[in-house]
Amino acid sequence: GAVVSQHPSWVICKSGTSVKIECRSLDFQATTMFWYRQFPKQSLMLMATSNEGSKATYEQGVEKDKFLINHASLTLSTLTVTSAHPEDSSFYICSARDAGLPQTTNEKLFFGSGTQLSVL
Amino acid sequence: DQQVKQNSPSLSVQEGRISILNCDYTNSMFDYFLWYKKYPAEGPTFLISISSIKDKNEDGRFTVFLNKSAKHLSLHIVPSQPGDSAVYFCAASFTGTASKLTFGTGTRLQVTL
């Protein structure tokens, strides 16, 4: 099956620093990638939709200047948490859609393994 | 506002028996529903889906039932196997906006020997 690689799997950083998380589709091209966040005992919440070659679309309540998304190639999207604070500590996970498949096919979303971010 | 709810955070079932995982939703406009399975240190993987025009979809040991009037769906696993032990997420979406999945909080299933 298709593989989405997400790195790092966990990161601890000091408050005020920035953290970059990478999401790569290894065996398919992904024109669209999605970034989710999950706080403890809550559900995965869509943060933003990343489109290759264009600006990301952010969900309501997500600060675009704090969560910078870059999707410069068909296989790589990055999420940078800028000036991280303890309240940004969360589980971040990406998913990617195979560009070769029908766009309405939700089941063809492939997820990374997630990144646990802890901000001290 | 939790639009998709999985009220049971965990479930333990004996091997060979039926596992029933439940999911409720509040938005009647959702018309496509999916179940994902997640092992530790891995991302969720697609398991089975159902469109609102159906009330049942079956794939091997996995069956999803949809009750639109009750805004309720369930995943049945028969027979349950130890390898089914994982966290199961239900998700809902609107047809045509395939990316916007609204997830439940997940149910951890443990299949015991």
Side-chain angles (χ1 to χ4, degrees):
Chain A
V3 176
V4 173
S5 175
Q6 184 173 342
H7 291 281
S9 55
W10 59 270
V11 58
I12 301 173
C13 70
K14 292 182 179 179
S15 184
T17 61
S18 294
V19 174
K20 180 185 282 188
I21 303 170
E22 290 189 351
C23 182
R24 293 180 184 273
S25 57
L26 297 186
D27 50 2
F28 65 96
Q29 293 184 330
T31 52
T32 306
M33 292 186 176
F34 309 95
W35 289 95
Y36 297 82
R37 178 169 57 182
Q38 183 180 24
F39 292 108
K41 298 186 178 180
Q42 296 187 24
S43 58
L44 284 167
M45 297 293 292
L46 180 66
M47 297 175 66
T49 302
S50 167
N51 299 296
E52 185 267 336
S54 65
K55 291 183 178 180
T57 303
Y58 290 81
E59 295 301 302
Q60 190 174 9
V62 179
E63 301 174 59
K64 62 180 181 180
D65 294 331
K66 181 170 185 62
F67 299 99
L68 301 179
I69 290 173
N70 184 283
H71 193 160
S73 78
L74 286 171
T75 59
L76 174 65
S77 175
T78 60
L79 168 68
T80 301
V81 183
T82 62
S83 187
H85 290 283
E87 56 265 30
D88 299 322
S89 299
S90 184
F91 182 72
Y92 295 84
I93 192 166
C94 67
S95 69
R97 176 185 293 132
D98 189 332
L101 296 174
Q103 292 302 294
T104 56
T105 310
N106 255 324
E107 48 260 42
K108 295 308 179 184
L109 284 177
F110 302 100
F111 284 81
S113 55
T115 299
Q116 183 64 51
L117 170 64
S118 296
V119 185
L120 304 178
Chain B
D1 178 25
Q2 192 71 34
Q3 295 191 66
V4 178
K5 300 177 183 179
Q6 292 177 258
N7 292 319
S8 298
S10 64
L11 174 68
S12 182
V13 172
Q14 210 168 19
E15 181 181 13
R17 307 291 290 268
I18 183 172
S19 295
I20 300 176
L21 296 92
N22 294 303
C23 180
D24 297 292
Y25 61 97
T26 57
N27 191 334
S28 59
M29 299 302 290
F30 287 135
D31 58 6
Y32 200 80
F33 305 89
L34 308 91
W35 284 94
Y36 284 83
K37 177 179 180 180
K38 183 183 183 303
Y39 291 119
E42 295 182 12
T45 55
F46 169 75
L47 188 59
I48 192 169
S49 64
I50 188 167
S51 165
S52 61
I53 62 174
K54 296 184 177 181
D55 54 18
K56 176 183 175 181
N57 188 26
E58 190 172 355
D59 183 2
R61 296 186 297 113
F62 303 90
T63 303
V64 56
F65 295 91
L66 176 62
N67 183 332
K68 290 187 290 295
S69 61
K71 299 191 185 70
H72 177 84
L73 65 155
S74 61
L75 174 68
H76 292 211
I77 307 173
V78 182
S80 301
Q81 299 175 354
D84 297 328
S85 297
V87 178
Y88 290 79
F89 293 95
C90 69
S93 70
F94 310 101
T95 301
T97 58
S99 63
K100 289 187 178 290
L101 294 175
T102 301
F103 283 89
T105 51
T107 296
R108 182 177 301 278
L109 171 66
Q110 183 172 6
V111 180
T112 58
L113 299 173

